[in-house]
Amino acid sequence: MSPTANAISAENGRAVHSSAATRRRAVFPFTAIVGQEEMKLALLLNVIDPKIGGVMIMGDRGTGKSTTIRALADLLPEIQVVADDPFSSHPTDPELMGDAVRQQIEQGLDVPVTTKKVIMVDLPLGATEDRVCGTIDIEKALSEGVKAFEPGLLAKANRGILYVDEVNLLDDHLVDVLLDSAASGWNTVEREGISVRHPARFVLVGSGNPEEGELRPQLLDRFGMHAEIHTVKDPVLRVQVVEQRTEFDQDPEAFLNKYQAQQDELQQRLVRAQEQLKQVQLDYELRVKISQVCAELNVDGLRGDIVTNRAAKAIAAFEGRTEVTVDDIRRVVTLCLRHRLRKDPLESIDSGYKVEKVFNQIFGEAAPEAAS
């Protein structure tokens, strides 16, 4: 039986039934989600390589953003963690351990290991910096000489997914804190000369509605990928979405069983891709052409080059290959670069079309049709 079918504790704030044989509250299966391929691909690639730097999802209301992200967290296999550790420390990887666990292991002490589901942490819009980063009890530190640290949401999200809905409405300072932690993999809290740090390696997913405003360009640029999603226009697909949701709501267990084989297959593909990622090679000539695309588009900095390289390797690993192809780059280049272009308010051409056009010029592909 797959990890998703096991009875699991109440992670992600979901209810747990008293019987061990029953599974936790049903989550709509990832493989049953219709359309929105761009968003799904971006999320899967960030799971394969979290160093891509997260996903910003901008789109209309009611397009399944939250449903898809919860479905992804539910799809992922269980991970090994040190039991009763607030940071979900990895039992063998020092980069994913809290300091206390690392010290125990360096002293040759045994640490209890258990497994748990990958957690998805929802960041509420009204969250304070203390709630996000954690707090240090100064009084206890001074009186007892111990670092009394109360972990925050970043600690809880380590080795999981941190989801910020309406990220464009979040305070810029908090967005900066999240992006710093996502990029470095560590969160540092300093109060009155006392400093505590812990691992905070997570997949950062932000979503928002463009009608409510965009993120500042310097913050938007720090998200690895940017997916744009739109309401499905095809009446047949709309009916399919409605019917699937109705079927799921009426009998979740039967609906989940119907998609269990597909869920298991996708889960195994992700596990294999994570293992194979280090073996994937990206030819030097292709790397030069990626940088040519970035230069031609006047992309500031080198984040665009780095993320496109990583994403192309991740998609090759996802498809079970060890060599990146031009088609791999074509499939990720718009996701990686569209939000890094300087915007001209008088220009009506879609940024994704501009990226695709320059890509085709440099890689010698057929030119795309003009955007309508």
Side-chain angles (χ1 to χ4, degrees), residues 229-296:
I229 59 174
H230 305 282
T231 304
V232 176
K233 301 296 184 188
D234 185 343
V236 175
L237 282 180
R238 290 175 77 114
V239 169
Q240 186 182 345
V241 172
V242 173
E243 287 179 344
Q244 282 195 322
R245 188 70 219 191
T246 304
E247 186 182 344
F248 173 76
D249 289 341
Q250 287 176 344
D251 190 347
E253 200 65 36
F255 190 82
L256 291 169
N257 288 337
K258 180 177 169 183
Y259 284 91
Q260 193 61 52
Q262 293 178 46
Q263 291 280 101
D264 290 346
E265 182 186 354
L266 180 55
Q267 187 185 84
Q268 290 306 311
R269 279 187 73 187
L270 288 172
V271 171
R272 287 195 297 269
Q274 289 169 334
E275 293 169 351
Q276 192 168 340
L277 184 63
K278 288 182 181 177
Q279 279 79 54
V280 178
Q281 300 296 317
L282 177 54
D283 187 73
Y284 177 75
E285 293 298 322
L286 294 181
R287 297 202 300 272
V288 170
K289 286 187 174 182
I290 288 171
S291 291
Q292 274 185 272
V293 171
C294 294
E296 186 72 24

Side-chain angles (χ1 to χ4, degrees), residues 302-346:
L302 295 174
R303 281 199 187 100
D305 308 54
I306 294 167
V307 170
T308 306
N309 277 261
R310 284 191 177 281
K313 288 183 178 181
I315 201 169
F318 183 54
E319 298 190 344
R321 290 179 280 104
T322 55
E323 289 285 339
V324 172
T325 66
V326 172
D327 189 56
D328 294 332
I329 301 168
R330 180 187 59 76
R331 289 169 64 188
V332 301
V333 70
T334 301
L335 282 165
C336 297
L337 299 182
R338 64 149 62 97
H339 56 303
R340 305 179 196 278
L341 306 191
R342 294 178 183 175
K343 290 191 177 178
D344 181 349
L346 301 177

Side-chain angles (χ1 to χ4, degrees), residues 76 175 190 235 293 369:
L76 299 177
V175 177
E190 294 182 337
V293 171
E369 294 178 12

